């Protein structure tokens, strides 16, 4: 199956999961309307079209738009999605990239990059996802997910990591499918972690 077809099927499945989740969520008070309100316009990447997103990438896309995490700090897991109209989403992880692809279901991805953990650089370079090998479910700590999905620019690097950390080597399609499969549990985990963090901060203020 071609990657684009697989991504489309994955996005359709995720859209159903998200719709069910939203249907079970209490209504949110209406805010003042803005030009991008309304599905699917509210999910369109907000920055202007970018034909060369790799140039000064971290300066242009410093924070993940879905969770707010610093993409330089998480350069090893970050991703960059360029859609067919040159709108770009810079995310912190495959978890948030799955959200982007699912919410922008009418926007075809033209190119997707991911941080290359085969590199020893402090800030990992980006590699095209079709050229990467993903290690899924290893003992390496995940980013925004309990089941980690770590990308390597070379198969040999992924195999070496598997030998040390376990897991399964896959391509991007399978890693993306795993991200969608984990979405519900991961969202619950993230909410719990953030609530605990808020409680600790409140306690520290009281102290």
């Amino acid at each position: 199956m071609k990657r684009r077809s697989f991504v489309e099927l994955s996005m359709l499945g995720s859209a159903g999961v998200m719709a069910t989740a939203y249907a079970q969520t209490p209504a949110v008070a209406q805010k003042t309307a803005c030009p991008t309100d309304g599905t699917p316009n509210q999910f369109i990447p907000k920055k202007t079209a970018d034909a060369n997103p790799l140039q000064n990438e971290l300066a242009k896309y410093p924070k993940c738009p879905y969770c707010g995490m610093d993409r330089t700090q998480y350069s090893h897991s970050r991703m960059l999605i360029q859609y067919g109209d040159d709108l770009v989403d810079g995310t912190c992880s495959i978890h948030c990239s799955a959200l982007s692809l699912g919410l922008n279901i009418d926007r075809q991805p033209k190119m997707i990059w991911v941080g290359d953990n085969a590199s020893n650089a402090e800030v990992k370079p980006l590699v095209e996802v079709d050229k990467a090998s993903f290690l899924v479910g290893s003992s390496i700590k995940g980013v925004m997910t309990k089941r980690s999905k770590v990308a390597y620019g070379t198969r040999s690097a992924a195999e070496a990591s598997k030998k040390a950390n376990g897991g399964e080597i896959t391509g991007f399609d399978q890693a993306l499918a795993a991200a969608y499969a984990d979405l519900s549990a991961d969202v619950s985990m993230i909410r719990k972690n953030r609530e605990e963090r808020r409680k600790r901060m409140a306690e520290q203020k009281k102290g």
Side-chain angles (χ1 to χ4, degrees):
M1 181 183 292
K2 292 183 178 179
R3 177 167 66 84
R4 176 169 291 183
S5 298
F6 187 92
V7 170
E8 289 174 348
L9 289 174
S10 298
M11 290 191 294
L12 287 170
S14 70
V17 172
M18 290 183 218
T20 301
Y22 295 156
Q24 297 171 347
T25 302
V28 178
Q30 292 293 322
K31 298 179 180 179
T32 304
C34 70
T36 56
D37 277 348
T39 304
N41 287 339
Q42 69 193 60
F43 303 123
I44 293 174
K46 300 300 188 289
K47 294 183 180 292
T48 57
D50 185 354
N52 189 12
L54 291 179
Q55 184 176 8
N56 300 321
E57 168 242 343
L58 288 169
K60 290 185 292 187
Y61 309 102
K63 303 286 186 180
C64 178
Y66 299 95
C67 68
M69 286 168 57
D70 187 289
R71 295 181 66 246
T72 299
Q73 181 180 354
Y74 290 90
S75 72
H76 61 288
S77 61
R78 81 189 190 283
M79 296 188 71
L80 192 67
I81 304 171
Q82 182 184 29
Y83 289 103
D85 53 7
D86 284 338
L87 290 182
V88 175
D89 250 355
T91 69
C92 70
S93 61
I94 194 170
H95 170 90
C96 288
S97 288
L99 296 177
S100 176
L101 291 166
L103 294 171
N104 288 282
I105 198 165
D106 291 324
R107 186 165 279 102
Q108 292 287 358
K110 179 165 68 174
M111 188 65 71
I112 305 175
W113 297 270
V114 64
D116 179 8
N117 286 271
S119 170
N120 292 321
E122 182 177 354
V123 175
K124 305 300 183 187
L126 292 174
V127 61
E128 295 176 21
V129 293
D130 287 339
K131 297 179 180 178
S133 294
F134 286 77
L135 185 62
V136 178
S138 72
S139 60
I140 299 171
K141 185 178 180 180
V143 176
M144 304 293 286
T145 181
K146 185 174 182 180
R147 179 168 56 151
S148 63
K149 303 155 187 79
V150 184
Y152 297 89
T154 65
R155 174 84 184 192
S156 60
E159 289 173 346
S161 184
K162 177 181 178 179
K163 186 176 181 180
N165 304 292
E168 177 186 0
I169 297 176
T170 74
F172 174 64
D173 291 344
Q174 293 75 24
L176 180 63
Y180 282 125
D182 294 345
L183 192 60
S184 178
D186 288 342
V187 167
S188 295
M189 177 192 73
I190 293 165
R191 281 180 173 151
K192 180 180 178 181
N193 290 344
R194 292 193 171 187
E195 180 59 27
E196 290 176 350
R197 191 182 306 123
R198 283 191 289 267
K199 288 180 179 178
R200 288 196 300 270
M201 292 177 65
E203 290 173 358
Q204 289 173 358
K205 288 181 179 179
K206 290 180 180 179

